[in-house]
Amino acid sequence: MRVTVTEDSVLLREGLVRLLAEEGFTVAGRSEDADDLLRLVDEVRPDVALIDIRLPPTHTDEGVRAACAIRERHPGTGVLLLSQYVETGSAVRVMSRDPRGFGYLLKDRIADVYELSDAVKRVGAGESVIDPEVVARLLRRRRAESTLEQLTQRERDVLALMAEGRSNEAIAQRLVVGGKTVETHVRNIFTKLGLEPSLTDHRRVLAVLMHLQG
């Protein structure tokens, strides 16, 4: 799998390149700002582009805007956004356009090689990956409608794993329950949240995140 890395910190950028190479990924290029990133992606057409949300010159949302441009120019390229802080608004906005092949990971997770490698592989395969801490922040956020208060604790557990992009089978394995039990919880969650179940996990994750973001 071919990957590009965009990060303005030389130390972190080279560290990511080394970790990815050690995990068997081909690092097709590296860049330090949004303009270089877009030129690089146009040239090498990577499977996945790792992008820091905050890039020069303003270090605000250059990475997010570059991610949107990449999704428009190269729909087949997965995007994995990296952030030092939990920025739920920008993540959900990007994801709402098309959750397929999109991921959002906090930089703290980079130290766990397995989590980083798993996220890159899943995004490259067209899946959605959302950092558990981001999901937790969304779940903790109080809503005026108090809709989430209708859910049982087990349904909240299932919802958190759904929002991370986990399949029913993966949720069943994580919670050590049967597949039918997970299906029942999922149906109950959609009913209580007023969401129509979709035939694809990606649209399911999108609906849940959009509802949580409110």
Side-chain angles (χ1 to χ4, degrees):
M1 186 176 290
R2 302 171 72 248
V3 181
T4 58
V5 177
T6 301
E7 162 65 53
D8 67 314
S9 166
V10 176
L11 183 61
L12 181 54
R13 184 172 67 245
E14 295 309 310
L16 280 168
V17 168
R18 180 175 178 179
L19 286 174
L20 291 168
E22 290 177 350
E23 286 299 299
F25 297 100
T26 299
V27 179
R30 63 198 80 180
S31 54
E32 62 182 24
D33 60 46
D35 290 338
D36 284 343
L37 163 63
L38 294 177
R39 285 193 292 268
L40 179 62
V41 172
D42 285 341
E43 178 182 348
V44 304
R45 304 292 180 90
D47 298 299
V48 177
L50 272 68
I51 308 170
D52 186 357
I53 284 183
R54 300 186 177 190
L55 292 172
T58 68
H59 293 91
T60 53
D61 65 344
E62 282 87 354
V64 175
R65 288 189 279 112
C68 292
I70 290 171
R71 300 306 297 274
E72 291 176 359
R73 295 184 191 181
H74 309 289
T77 296
V79 170
L80 179 57
L81 290 174
L82 302 176
S83 178
Q84 186 68 42
Y85 312 100
V86 177
E87 304 176 54
T88 55
S90 59
V92 173
R93 280 197 301 273
V94 175
M95 192 174 188
S96 66
R97 300 189 179 192
D98 186 351
R100 294 169 298 180
F102 171 81
Y104 178 32
L105 206 62
L106 294 180
K107 290 183 178 179
D108 289 345
R109 305 283 174 193
I110 296 173
D112 188 324
V113 177
Y114 171 78
E115 287 211 36
L116 175 62
S117 177
D118 181 60
V120 174
K121 290 176 182 176
R122 290 172 60 194
V123 168
E127 297 183 32
S128 305
V129 177
I130 301 295
D131 193 287
E133 179 56 33
V134 174
V135 174
R137 178 70 63 87
L138 290 169
L139 288 170
R140 287 196 298 265
R141 181 172 296 168
R142 295 188 60 84
R143 292 170 52 86
E145 303 90 338
S146 298
T147 307
L148 294 178
E149 294 180 4
Q150 300 178 44
L151 304 182
T152 65
Q153 183 57 54
R154 179 57 82 179
E155 288 166 351
R156 288 171 182 259
D157 294 339
V158 172
L159 177 60
L161 292 170
M162 285 169 57
E164 288 179 30
R166 305 293 178 180
S167 66
N168 282 4
E169 180 180 357
I171 293 172
Q173 293 175 353
R174 180 71 66 86
L175 300 180
V176 194
V177 297
K180 294 293 184 183
T181 300
V182 173
E183 290 176 7
T184 299
H185 285 316
V186 171
R187 284 197 299 270
N188 291 341
I189 289 169
F190 276 112
T191 298
K192 292 179 179 181
L193 298 184
L195 298 170
E196 290 295 328
S198 171
L199 295 178
T200 67
D201 287 337
H202 297 302
R203 293 185 64 184
R204 177 177 73 172
V205 174
L206 174 59
V208 170
L209 287 177
M210 290 180 65
H211 187 89
L212 291 175
Q213 179 69 9

